[in-house]
Amino acid sequence: TALYHAKRNGRGRVVVYTQEMEDAAKRDTRIEQALRRAVSAEEVQPYFQPIVDLATRRIVGFEALARWTDRDLGFVSPSVFIPIAEERGIIGALSQLLLRKASRAAQDWPGDLFLSFNLSPSQLVDQNTADHILTTLARASFDPRRLEVEITETGMMSDPASAEKIVQDLRAEGVRISLDDFGTGQSSLGRLREFHFDKLKIDQAFVASILDDRASEHIIRAILAMCEGLDIEVVAEGIETEEQAARLVEFGCRGGQGYLFGRPAAAAATMRHLTTFAKLPAAS
Ligand code: C2E
Ligand code: MG
Ligand code: MG
Ligand code: MG
């Protein structure tokens, strides 16, 4: 086609780029419209992935992960629709729907398992966020001390003062704060200290290369040493093999998450798993 030739001979690059941008914008708008409908119809679901104590393999909590299958678009990944929800002002409604469903599901879990919930960067510049979260928990009679919120370095950097205020309001009610995807953003170790994170999640990229990349090994060990000194808990994300788990235990990492221990599952399947197979502290 003409466009293809334009790209090949280099002269039409701007044309091709514009066309691609237009296609992407159209795609995003389709997703936005379908997502708005899905949110009002409450069709987006939280799935739950176990977080375990690496030494005992006991489940200590679950991370809620958004799942959406649209009747026309099919399955859409959260790494596609969450950024669109953010850009197009749907994230607040979407997040409240997910937290409502997730806290209701978690309410029925045995034991004191925690629920970990992701917050988007734009939610950390919105001063209603803490209030919305706490109100949603109260309505579900969910103890805020069983909630952890995961925020990313990017999330806290766009307006650190605003993010810190929200974090303080949540922490005042007992919510714990977790730093997600650590090592991938513009890390400032100073911020780590200022924010008093309760937990840090080592990004799965480091775990993926732990066995064959000395650099990843050193980075993970340095993170673990630093967190021990700062009294911050650590969870390694994306553990897929026994070899990776063994390595992490050897380095002194306490928490783990990944396909090795369980894939994200729907609320009902999670509940079934907990009441039949899970190694839990004595049933309460
Ligand atoms: P995240 O918070 O870092 O979540 C971890 C991602 O890693 C999830 O992808 C999870 O399914 C995936 N994962 C877990 N274990 C393994 C493993 O062993 N191997 C591999 N390869 N992947 C693993 P998912 O569910 O596709 O979510 C992608 C991202 O979308 C999340 O990254 C989070 O940033 C965002 N997200 C998902 N749900 C929500 C939500 O409810 N609210 C917000 N704000 N963001 C969300
Ligand atoms: Mg997360
Ligand atoms: Mg993560
Ligand atoms: Mg991630």
Side-chain angles (χ1 to χ4, degrees), residues 49 63-67 77-79 82 91 98 117-120 123 150 180-181 204 237-240 258-259 264:
Q49 185 179 33
E63 177 175 7
L65 293 160
R67 291 292 179 269
S77 164
S79 32
I82 295 283
I91 193 69
L98 288 166
F117 190 80
N118 292 284
L119 290 186
S120 286
Q123 295 180 279
E150 300 190 8
D180 202 2
D181 301 344
Q204 50 191 47
E237 301 193 86
I239 303 174
E240 296 184 350
Y259 296 161

Side-chain angles (χ1 to χ4, degrees), residues 164-221:
E164 193 154 9
K165 172 86 176 70
I166 292 164
V167 160
Q168 268 171 19
D169 290 353
L170 290 171
R171 184 172 276 126
E173 299 302 315
V175 176
R176 291 156 50 84
I177 315 296
S178 183
L179 181 56
D180 202 2
D181 301 344
F182 185 73
T184 59
Q186 324 96 308
S187 311
S188 147
L189 299 181
R191 292 268 175 232
L192 209 62
R193 195 161 152 268
E194 274 168 43
F195 270 76
H196 301 287
F197 289 100
D198 299 286
K199 186 179 278 185
L200 179 154
K201 299 182 81 172
I202 300 177
D203 192 76
Q204 50 191 47
F206 299 111
V207 175
S209 52
I210 190 174
L211 298 173
D212 33 53
D213 176 10
R214 291 308 293 259
S216 290
E217 179 186 319
H218 285 301
I219 289 167
I220 289 175
R221 296 175 80 134

Side-chain angles (χ1 to χ4, degrees), residues 113-145:
L113 303 179
F114 66 80
L115 169 68
S116 202
F117 190 80
N118 292 284
L119 290 186
S120 286
S122 66
Q123 295 180 279
L124 292 166
V125 297
D126 176 358
Q127 284 302 319
N128 296 313
T129 294
D131 205 42
H132 284 158
I133 290 173
L134 295 169
T135 306
T136 302
L137 295 185
R139 288 204 183 120
S141 307
F142 188 85
D143 185 346
R145 288 171 300 182

Side-chain angles (χ1 to χ4, degrees), residues 20-75:
E20 279 169 2
M21 296 241 320
E22 201 180 305
D23 292 346
K26 274 187 190 146
R27 184 202 69 157
D28 286 6
T29 299
R30 277 189 75 195
I31 293 173
E32 176 197 346
Q33 285 163 354
L35 186 60
R36 283 188 191 280
R37 195 198 49 76
V39 170
S40 8
E42 307 199 345
E43 286 170 7
V44 187
Q45 309 296 344
Y47 269 42
F48 301 94
Q49 185 179 33
I51 298 173
V52 305
D53 178 296
L54 280 177
T56 62
R57 297 285 168 101
R58 278 183 201 282
I59 295 176
V60 290
F62 287 89
E63 177 175 7
L65 293 160
R67 291 292 179 269
W68 172 41
T69 301
D70 181 74
R71 53 175 87 134
D72 300 321
L73 302 173
F75 176 84

